[in-house]
Amino acid sequence: MESPTPEFFMREALREADKAFAEKEIPVGAIVELNGEIVGRGHNRTETEKDPTAHAEMNALREAAKALDGWRLTGCRMYVTVEPCAMCAGALVLARVYKVYIGATNEKSGACVSLRNLLRDERLNHFVEMETGILREECETLMKRFFKEIRSDIGKSRKRKWCKE
């Protein structure tokens, strides 16, 4: 049997991002894979859980660590729809993840490509391999749709607030 492609796993990460979207969370999804098997899934839940660390990547790493009964995720690969922030990139290094596949970059807070590259910082004790652009268009489209809807909802609430009914 042929092993699944990075696109297959990124589609799974997009399913997680869709869950976040449905929960009115920023739609980021992440998958942790080891030897062709998904061992961790996560999507953003910061608003729902009132937890600044409840990012998709962190949730997927936690689930993978439990499934594998240890915090060292050596040999694991992460597939994430949007470039990780500094916290999540740091967690990928600390967990010793082998490689991360990123859908869309994040010019405002990305810490793997956009603002810095924590995954390959030679001062750290572990390097994480990286590949970007996996299903980039789908990942970007989901984010754009989410923020368009949020702006639309804000506009509607402002109208109601200021208009006589």
Side-chain angles (χ1 to χ4, degrees):
M1 184 172 142
E2 196 173 311
S3 61
T5 64
E7 289 79 10
F8 170 84
F9 291 110
M10 189 61 77
R11 287 192 199 294
E12 290 297 314
L14 278 163
R15 283 187 183 85
E16 289 296 317
D18 285 337
K19 291 177 187 177
F21 192 108
E23 295 171 9
K24 297 191 184 324
E25 296 274 359
I26 295 175
V28 178
I31 296 293
V32 177
E33 169 260 325
L34 179 64
N35 300 325
E37 181 182 335
I38 295 172
V39 295
R41 295 176 173 271
H43 59 277
N44 272 355
R45 297 196 38 89
T46 54
E47 297 295 334
T48 303
E49 295 183 14
K50 309 293 186 249
D51 178 355
T53 69
H55 289 198
E57 301 94 327
M58 301 297 282
N59 293 331
L61 289 171
R62 285 183 191 113
E63 190 172 288
K66 284 181 185 171
L68 299 173
D69 197 31
W71 62 269
R72 287 182 187 87
L73 302 180
T74 309
C76 288
R77 292 167 181 80
M78 176 173 279
Y79 301 79
V80 60
T81 58
V82 177
E83 180 182 358
C85 68
M87 173 184 69
C88 295
L92 288 163
V93 171
L94 291 172
R96 294 169 178 65
V97 168
Y98 167 69
K99 186 170 185 175
V100 62
Y101 295 86
I102 299 168
T105 56
N106 183 344
E107 302 303 319
K108 293 187 178 182
S109 64
C112 303
V113 178
S114 299
L115 299 178
R116 61 191 49 87
N117 186 348
L118 287 177
L119 302 181
R120 302 292 295 168
D121 189 320
E122 60 190 36
R123 296 168 293 181
L124 300 176
N125 67 337
H126 178 73
F127 293 143
V128 179
E129 297 295 324
M130 175 183 55
E131 188 173 328
T132 61
I134 308 298
L135 302 181
R136 179 186 53 79
E137 191 172 311
E138 292 94 324
C139 296
E140 287 176 349
T141 298
L142 184 61
M143 290 293 282
K144 287 175 184 174
R145 196 176 99 219
F146 176 78
F147 285 108
K148 184 178 180 182
E149 284 188 24
I150 291 295
R151 284 190 292 276
S152 173
D153 288 348
I154 290 170
K156 287 175 189 171
S157 68
R158 283 186 183 148
K159 252 184 205 166
R160 282 194 299 268
K161 184 178 180 182
W162 298 108
C163 292
K164 293 182 180 178
E165 309 238 7

